[in-house]
Amino acid sequence: MCGRLTLTHPNDALARLFDAAPANDLPEPPNYNLCPTQDVSVVVSDGARRALRPMRWGFIPHWYKTPTGGPLLINARAETIAEKPAFRAAVRARRCLIPAAGFYEWTKGADDARLPWYFSRPDGAPLVFAGIWQIWDKGEDPLATCAIVTTGASDWMAETHHREPVVLAEADWPTWLGEADAKAAPLMKPAPEGLYQRWRVDPAVNSNRAHGPELITPLAA
């Protein structure tokens, strides 16, 4: 599961990183508590040129009559993505990159209290998640939507959660975007050891109304 993100890198820096043309309506960083149904910045490619554009985090299958016409699909499981009717066409033809500064996961404390942890890269570089996207066109205006691909957790990640987002190395971006003639399925695996750092943060982040850099401050012991 990957259910909350942070997005703090400037849009122009992301555009340079991915060599992508930025849209004018990208979500404005920083956002220290980016929640499902909000816009994320997504990299797509037509094979010749990349674009950095906003998409609603929450994939909407084409048969939904409204955006809330079924379960909120923020993640797609790597193990079944090629078989699920909601995702199988997208994973073949509409793959994307979803950058984030970090993400939150939760463990359970006393009395089932939700204890949040923050994950990011030690070097401060963006995490680049494997994603899929879909245009939902049943409303007045077409809506671009996306989901993050997840896989079973590594032993280290499993100390916190049994699943983790698929993170792509720069060398694998062309394959995932369909720019390279290679199979994408082998890329859907846990992150290598040492990619992440993690620490406990204040339960204030449990509220989707909470904002500010203090949300990722390490919790005092």
Side-chain angles (χ1 to χ4, degrees):
M1 183 68 178
C2 183
R4 298 281 184 88
L5 308 177
T6 61
L7 186 62
T8 62
H9 297 87
N11 289 324
D12 58 350
L14 292 178
R16 289 194 300 271
L17 175 65
F18 296 108
D19 190 23
N24 294 325
D25 54 348
L26 291 166
E28 195 63 38
N31 188 336
Y32 293 93
N33 194 8
L34 199 159
C35 303
T37 73
Q38 294 180 341
D39 281 353
V40 292
S41 296
V42 171
V43 180
V44 296
S45 175
D46 63 5
R49 191 178 186 192
R50 295 176 182 175
L52 183 66
R53 57 176 298 186
M55 290 192 187
R56 175 191 186 269
W57 183 19
F59 190 95
I60 305 178
H62 65 83
W63 61 82
Y64 281 22
K65 295 182 179 178
T66 68
T68 57
L72 182 61
L73 304 177
I74 62 172
N75 296 150
R77 296 174 66 96
E79 298 88 341
T80 58
I81 194 171
E83 305 161 7
K84 292 287 186 180
F87 303 135
R88 62 193 179 198
V91 77
R92 288 195 302 268
R94 294 187 301 278
R95 298 192 296 266
C96 61
L97 308 177
I98 303 176
F103 65 97
Y104 300 95
E105 288 292 3
W106 282 262
T107 54
K108 285 189 176 181
D111 301 321
D112 287 335
R114 298 181 75 227
L115 307 178
W117 296 75
Y118 184 64
F119 292 78
S120 63
R121 288 180 56 137
D123 61 6
L127 294 164
V128 180
F129 301 137
I132 55 174
W133 64 278
Q134 164 107 339
I135 299 294
W136 182 80
D137 59 2
K138 301 295 192 299
E140 291 185 6
D141 298 306
L143 185 60
T145 70
C146 65
I148 294 171
V149 181
T150 66
T151 189
S154 66
D155 291 343
W156 182 84
M157 178 65 74
E159 296 172 8
T160 310
H161 199 272
H162 67 285
R163 298 196 63 79
E164 63 178 276
V166 171
V167 177
L168 299 173
E170 184 172 358
D172 296 325
W173 298 349
T175 296
W176 188 257
L177 289 173
E179 299 168 340
D181 187 17
K183 293 186 180 298
L187 304 181
M188 294 187 283
K189 58 188 179 182
E193 184 177 352
L195 179 72
Y196 295 124
Q197 59 183 352
R198 69 182 173 200
W199 56 79
R200 275 284 316 282
V201 293
D202 194 282
V205 75
N206 293 354
S207 169
N208 59 14
R209 294 184 294 274
H211 297 283
E214 66 278 4
L215 295 178
I216 64 170
T217 300
L219 195 64

